[in-house]
Amino acid sequence: MATAPNKIAIVGVGKIAHDQHVPSIAGNPDFELAATVSRHGSVQGVEAFTDLNTMLAKRPDIGAVALCMPPQARFAYAVEALAARRHVLLEKPPGATLSEVHELERLAAQHDCTLFATWHSRFAVAVPAAKAWLADKKIARLAITWKEDVRRWHPGQEWIWEPGGLGVFDPGINALSILTAIYPRPLHLASADLSFPENRGTPIAVSLRFVDPEGAEVTAEFDWRQEGPQTWNIEADTDAGHMKLSSGGASLAIDGRKVEQAPDREYAGIYRRFAELIRTGRSDVDLSPMVHVADAFTLGRRIAAEPFEF
Ligand code: NAP
């Protein structure tokens, strides 16, 4: 017998909600978009609230929320939703600090709710194949190159330049979510150079170097000043050849031969996983990508860069 779909509300209706969450929910029979909560945004044909408390009180039939606002504001909304015993999906990064997300885990367990800290890049189609291929290789070197044009991908978004908005780590943490998923063992940070525009509170470019206990050279370069072609690559030299994971995880080549390539279906995977977590009464909260970012802010050397204006 078919079960009724989970009624879900999107909270924070902006770019990513419209681009990905609305179509992914529409394409998944396990969910029904039953409301939105947003001060300005809405979705045509869906009941719209401007305040989470009111939605939680008026719609007890809605059992889940997807929190799609910038990370600095996410904690307060998640606490309200969990206290009202709703399952919670967190956009990435899951919060502004590690300790607040630990608190959300505790609250989710206390209220018997699912908490899902999503990392959309982990659902890119070639990531599982890259993980499987790397698993038994001796890695000599792995280099992440994540270079994009902030004006193109974040037009006018001021929150990314405010404390907690992460700057270039906003896309960079996607690369770190793939790294922490595919690398065969834990890494820790050795050094970080963080370039801050003189007029901004978050970095525009970052260089990271990691320690691998087995001696591989592991580095990451994030830069938001890249015009023209955009680059989201992870390349590894191993005892069995060269691996190139490109297009943010959507394409994999070994020694130049394509192994896997498909269009982006990341958010479809996220909602499949959320349905499974709710069905089985579990949470999924992996903070390892965010630990590397926090370590970079702890250990990083600050470098002054040109002022940035949109
Ligand atoms: P956005 O469009 O700037 O913000 C989303 C919505 O959140 C806004 O429309 C706003 O809706 C609400 N909001 C903004 N500031 C808020 C605050 N202080 N308190 C409460 N609500 C607030 O951002 P976005 O690009 O969708 O990104 C949101 C999250 O998704 C970020 O964590 C980002 O890293 C992640 N993400 C974004 C992308 C992307 O391509 N943009 C891709 C993957 C993941 P109202 O004013 O209507 O309340």
Side-chain angles (χ1 to χ4, degrees), residues 99-137:
S99 48
E100 71 182 37
V101 187
H102 288 308
E103 173 63 3
L104 295 181
E105 283 187 278
R106 191 189 67 75
L107 288 172
Q110 180 186 328
H111 294 295
D112 218 4
C113 292
T114 290
L115 180 67
F116 182 20
T118 62
W119 299 108
H120 63 85
S121 293
R122 285 187 176 172
F123 290 88
V125 68
V127 169
K131 178 183 170 79
W133 191 81
L134 275 183
D136 60 354
K137 306 297 181 297

Side-chain angles (χ1 to χ4, degrees), residues 11-17 19-21 37-42 67-74 77 91-93 120 153-154 157 159 170 174 267:
V11 186
V13 179
K15 185 171 187 314
I16 197 61
D19 287 358
Q20 297 289 351
H21 290 264
V37 180
S38 217
R39 298 159 309 174
H40 310 93
S42 62
L67 302 186
C68 299
M69 70 288 296
Q72 296 101 323
R74 209 156 6 244
Y77 286 88
E91 249 300 348
K92 51 71 40 173
H120 63 85
W153 300 102
H154 296 276
Q157 287 185 334
W159 61 265
D170 177 77
N174 299 333
Y267 280 78

